[in-house]
Amino acid sequence: MAYEIPILDQTAISASTLLQQYRVVRVSAAGTGAPAVVHTTAASTAGNVRVFGVTQSAPTASTSSTGKTCSVRTVGVTKVEASSAAIAVGTWLRATSGAVGTTTRLGGTVRTTTDFKSKIGLAMTSAAAGTGRRLISMDLRL
């Protein structure tokens, strides 16, 4: 079962209409008093992807709104949505690539990596391969 140990959550502004809870985000642009975030859609192996953290809440008002605040975990252990691949405890994780959607396990989710430069965290719980929504615990290592 996924668990969390919050150390630092930061307020961010939604710059996307698809922002979902427990998915990886990057800074899109400067917001008004807070960074504007979107889900990652490229693998963290790509040199231009700078992961900011993992959304802890959907934007206030509704998930279809931009410019609303949300909470993003940047330090600590967080729940995060796994890609469709299996994940074992103790493996390094990176952001996946692909379009964000409520029925896909691509943009904003995590998968295992052997490329130490692309890692964003360490798996603290495991998940079998599957296509449904699966949450695991990840120790953020940004």
Side-chain angles (χ1 to χ4, degrees), residues 51-109:
V51 172
F52 181 62
V54 176
T55 52
Q56 298 301 297
S57 63
T60 56
S62 77
T63 56
S64 63
S65 299
T66 60
K68 305 297 182 186
T69 61
C70 61
S71 178
V72 177
R73 174 123 339 124
T74 56
V75 179
V77 175
T78 182
K79 291 178 183 176
V80 65
E81 192 166 345
S83 69
S84 59
I87 295 175
V89 172
T91 55
W92 289 109
L93 301 172
R94 70 167 175 87
T96 57
S97 60
V100 177
T102 56
T103 59
T104 67
R105 304 296 161 238
L106 298 173
T109 63

Side-chain angles (χ1 to χ4, degrees), residues 3 17 32 37 45 83 107:
Y3 62 92
T17 59
T32 306
V37 295
T45 53
S83 69

Side-chain angles (χ1 to χ4, degrees), residues 1-7 9 21-22 54-57 71-73 75-80 124-125 135-140:
M1 175 160 68
Y3 62 92
E4 298 181 287
I5 303 173
I7 295 178
D9 289 357
Q21 184 179 31
Y22 300 129
V54 176
T55 52
Q56 298 301 297
S57 63
S71 178
V72 177
R73 174 123 339 124
V75 179
V77 175
T78 182
K79 291 178 183 176
V80 65
M124 304 303 287
T125 57
L135 297 176
I136 63 166
S137 295
M138 176 177 69
D139 185 359
L140 285 163

